[in-house]
C-alpha cells in the first residue's frame, strides 16, 4: 500500500493539523510505503515572502519529524524537489472540466476570505491531483476539508483512464473520524487563517493563555453543563483516555465545576501530551544538518517513483 499526504508551509502547525492530518499520517507510516511532502508550490498561492516561505518549509519539516515522522519509513520531501509534478498538473489540466473546478468549496472559501482569484488558486486542485497520482498513491490521510480535493483527483484520474487507457490508480481519502473538525478557541474550525489556533510547539505561557481564553457560555459553576457543545470538552477528548473522558463528561453533567477548572485540566493534558515531541524537537535542532539531509533523501526516493510514473503518462498521451 502506498500512502501519501502533503501539508502547506503557509504558517505554524496547530493541533487541528496534528489530529486531522499529521497523527494519522504518522500512524500509517508503518503500514506501507509512505510519501509525505511539504506543499511549497501550493503555498505560493498565498505566501509572497520568500524568506518566510523558506523558514516555514524548514519548520514544518522539523515539526513533522519531532511529532514522530520516521524518515526511515516515510520519505519526507519538498514538493518543488519533484518539479515533474507541474508537468503532470498541466497534462491533467487539459482534461479537467472548468465546471468541476468552479464547484471547489476550498476555492470559493478562499475568495470569500479575500484571497486573489489567481489562475494558480483556481488550479490548486489540479496540482494536488498531480501530487497524488504521480506516486501511484492508494491512501491519502487528510482532514475532512480536503475530501473534495480527493474526489476531484479521482475524477481526473478516471478522465485520463477513459481517454488514454488505464494510466492511474484511484486513491482513497482516509479521514480521521475522531478529529474531523478540530475546533479552535472560538469554537469554529481551528485554522491559522481564522487566528483561533493553538500551535503544537507554542511556549507554555502562550498555550496556557490560549486555552484559558477558549470561548464558553455563561453557565454558572454549580449548574450542569452540556459537554457535547463545549469546545473544552471536545479538545480534551482528543488528548485524554476513555476513562478520563467519561469522568469529565460526568462532571460537566453533574454541575459544581466551572469552565475555568476544566480549562486548567485541558491545558495540563495538552502540555503533557506534546512533552516528548518538544524534547525530540530540541534534539533535532541540535543537529543543524539533520532536517536538510532528511529532505534530500526523501526527494531522491520521490523522484524515483515520479520518474517512472511520468514515463508511463507521457507514453500514454503521446509525448
Ligand atoms: P489551516 O486551515 O490552518 O490553513 P491547512 O488548510 O493548511 O490548515 O490544513 C493542513 C491539513 O490539516 C489538512 O489535511 C487539513 O484537512 C488538516 N486540518 C487543518 N485544520 C484542521 C482542523 N481544524 N480539524 C481537522 N483537520 C484540520
Ligand atoms: N491541499 C492540502 C492542504 O491545504 C495540501 C496538499 C497539497 C495535499 N497536495 C496534497 C494533501 C496532496 C494531500 C495530498 O492541506
Amino acid at each position: 500500500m502506498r500512502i501519501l499526504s502533503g501539508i502547506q508551509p503557509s504558517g505554524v502547525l496547530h493541533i487541528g493539523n496534528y489530529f486531522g492530518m499529521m497523527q494519522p499520517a504518522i500512524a500509517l507510516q508503518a503500514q506501507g510505503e509512505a510519501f509525505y511532502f511539504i506543499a511549497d508550490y501550493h503555498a505560493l498561492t498565498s505566501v509572497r515572502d520568500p524568506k518566510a516561505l523558506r523558514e516555514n518549509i524548514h519548520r514544518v519539516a522539523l515539526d513533522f519529524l519531532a511529532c514522530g515522522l520516521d524518515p526511515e519509513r516515510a520519505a519526507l520531501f519538498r514538493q518543488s524537489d519533484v518539479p515533474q509534478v507541474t508537468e503532470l498538473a498541466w497534462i491533467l489540466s487539459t482534461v479537467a472540466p472548468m465546471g468541476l473546478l468552479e464547484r471547489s468549496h476550498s476555492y470559493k472559501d478562499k475568495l470569500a476570505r479575500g484571497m486573489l482569484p489567481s489562475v494558480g488558486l483556481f488550479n490548486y486542485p489540479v496540482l494536488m491531483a498531480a501530487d497524488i497520482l504521480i506516486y501511484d498513491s492508494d491512501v491519502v490521510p487528510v482532514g475532512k476539508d480536503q475530501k473534495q480535493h480527493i474526489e476531484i483527483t479521482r475524477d481526473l484520474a478516471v478522465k485520463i483512464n477513459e481517454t488514454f487507457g488505464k494510466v492511474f490508480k484511484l486513491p482513497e481519502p482516509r479521514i480521521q473520524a475522531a478529529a474531523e473538525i478540530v475546533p479552535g478557541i472560538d469554537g469554529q474550525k481551528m485554522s491559522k487563517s481564522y487566528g483561533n489556533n493553538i500551535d503544537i510547539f507554542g511556549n507554555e505561557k502562550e498555550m496556557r493563555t490560549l486555552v484559558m481564553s477558549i470561548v464558553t457560555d455563561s453557565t454558572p459553576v454549580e449548574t450542569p453543563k452540556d459537554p457535547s457543545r463545549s469546545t473544552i470538552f471536545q479538545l480534551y477528548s482528543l488528548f485524554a483516555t476513555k476513562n478520563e473522558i467519561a469522568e469529565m463528561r460526568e462532571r460537566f453533567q453533574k454541575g459544581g465545576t466551572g469552565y475555568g477548572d476544566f480549562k486548567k485540566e485541558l491545558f495540563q493534558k495538552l502540555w503533557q501530551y506534546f512533552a516528548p515531541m518538544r524534547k525530540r524537537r530540541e534534539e533535532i535542532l541540535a543537529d543543524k544538518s539533520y532536517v536538510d539531509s532528511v529532505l534530500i533523501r526523501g526527494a531522491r526516493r520521490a523522484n524515483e517513483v515520479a520518474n517512472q510514473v511520468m514515463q508511463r503518462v507521457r507514453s500514454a498521451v503521446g509525448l
Side-chain angles (χ1 to χ4, degrees), residues 4-8 37 39 42 124 128 131-132 140 142 146 149:
L4 169 123
S5 194
I7 190 154
Q8 288 193 72
F37 67 92
H42 277 111
Y124 185 110
M128 179 156 164
D131 290 329
I132 298 172
V140 186
V142 277
Q146 297 296 317
H149 285 151

Side-chain angles (χ1 to χ4, degrees), residues 6 37 46 59 72 132 149 152-153 169 186 203 210 217 244 254 270 272 295-296 308:
F37 67 92
S46 61
R59 185 165 175 167
E72 300 305 320
I132 298 172
H149 285 151
I152 295 175
T153 303
K169 279 189 183 174
D186 59 357
N203 71 38
L210 284 170
D217 57 29
E244 289 167 335
K254 207 164 79 192
L270 207 156
Q272 274 166 20
L295 292 175
I296 291 168
Q308 279 173 18

Side-chain angles (χ1 to χ4, degrees), residues 8-310:
Q8 288 193 72
S10 48
V12 174
L13 299 173
H14 54 71
I15 62 180
N17 298 139
Y18 179 79
F19 286 104
M21 183 270 188
M22 298 164 70
Q23 189 201 44
I26 290 164
L28 279 169
Q29 71 190 357
Q31 291 177 36
E33 208 186 343
F35 288 81
Y36 299 139
F37 67 92
I38 301 167
D40 49 1
Y41 282 141
H42 277 111
L44 285 176
T45 58
S46 61
V47 183
R48 296 282 145 77
D49 175 345
K51 185 163 173 276
L53 184 60
R54 259 177 232 119
E55 282 169 9
N56 282 346
I57 294 169
H58 189 87
R59 185 165 175 167
V60 167
L62 166 68
D63 290 357
F64 220 143
L65 289 164
C67 285
L69 187 144
D70 177 358
E72 300 305 320
R73 293 179 187 274
L76 176 68
F77 58 99
R78 287 186 203 91
Q79 184 184 30
S80 62
D81 280 340
V82 190
Q84 304 87 303
V85 79
T86 60
E87 180 189 355
L88 180 57
W90 172 256
I91 294 172
L92 296 176
S93 78
T94 63
V95 300
M98 291 291 287
L100 181 68
L101 301 182
E102 276 160 0
R103 285 192 294 276
S104 159
H105 305 307
S106 155
Y107 179 66
K108 286 188 270 189
D109 288 350
K110 286 173 182 169
L111 293 200
R113 279 192 265 133
M115 280 176 74
L116 278 181
S118 67
V119 175
L121 196 63
F122 185 70
N123 243 348
Y124 185 110
V126 179
L127 179 58
M128 179 156 164
D131 290 329
I132 298 172
L133 299 174
I134 206 167
Y135 301 107
D136 278 336
S137 313
D138 299 293
V139 172
V140 186
V142 277
K144 195 180 170 202
D145 58 341
Q146 297 296 317
K147 188 164 175 245
Q148 193 193 24
H149 285 151
I150 316 286
E151 284 159 8
I152 295 175
T153 303
R154 290 172 61 97
D155 285 351
L156 296 180
V158 166
K159 277 225 171 284
I160 292 275
N161 289 352
E162 280 173 0
T163 316
F164 299 105
K166 190 169 175 338
V167 179
F168 292 124
K169 279 189 183 174
L170 299 192
E172 298 282 346
R174 183 73 60 90
I175 293 158
Q176 184 92 320
E180 276 196 348
I181 299 180
V182 175
I185 58 171
D186 59 357
Q188 285 197 63
K189 176 195 169 227
M190 184 176 292
S191 170
K192 44 191 175 278
S193 43
Y194 301 155
N196 61 359
N197 43 315
I198 302 177
D199 297 336
I200 304 171
F201 294 110
N203 71 38
E204 186 169 2
K205 189 159 168 252
E206 250 167 48
M207 213 182 238
R208 190 194 306 272
T209 310
L210 284 170
V211 171
M212 295 314 288
S213 58
I214 290 173
V215 176
T216 58
D217 57 29
S218 50
T219 314
V221 172
E222 47 313 335
T223 311
K225 299 166 184 69
D226 181 358
S228 67
R229 288 179 38 215
S230 165
T231 305
I232 308 170
F233 183 74
Q234 281 179 53
L235 290 176
Y236 186 80
S237 304
L238 295 168
F239 297 97
T241 64
K242 264 197 179 137
N243 285 344
E244 289 167 335
I245 299 169
E247 201 219 338
M248 186 176 274
R249 182 181 291 113
E250 217 169 89
R251 285 163 59 225
F252 259 79
Q253 289 165 340
K254 207 164 79 192
T257 310
Y259 286 125
D261 287 335
F262 288 129
K263 286 180 184 175
K264 283 184 195 146
E265 290 170 44
L266 167 61
F267 169 74
Q268 285 308 331
K269 269 269 159 283
L270 207 156
W271 186 249
Q272 274 166 20
Y273 185 93
F274 290 113
M277 302 173 206
R278 280 193 297 275
K279 185 161 169 276
R280 175 84 188 109
R281 194 170 185 275
E282 289 305 316
E283 287 163 10
I284 298 174
L285 274 173
D287 180 350
K288 291 271 175 283
S289 60
Y290 181 76
V291 171
D292 285 335
S293 73
V294 166
L295 292 175
I296 291 168
R297 243 190 312 150
R300 218 175 283 141
R301 175 74 192 115
N303 271 284
E304 282 167 16
V305 179
N307 287 335
Q308 279 173 18
V309 175
M310 278 316 290

Side-chain angles (χ1 to χ4, degrees), residues 87-88 90-91 164 310-319:
E87 180 189 355
L88 180 57
W90 172 256
I91 294 172
F164 299 105
M310 278 316 290
Q311 252 182 13
R312 193 168 81 215
V313 175
R314 287 191 198 112
S315 141
V317 301
L319 293 175

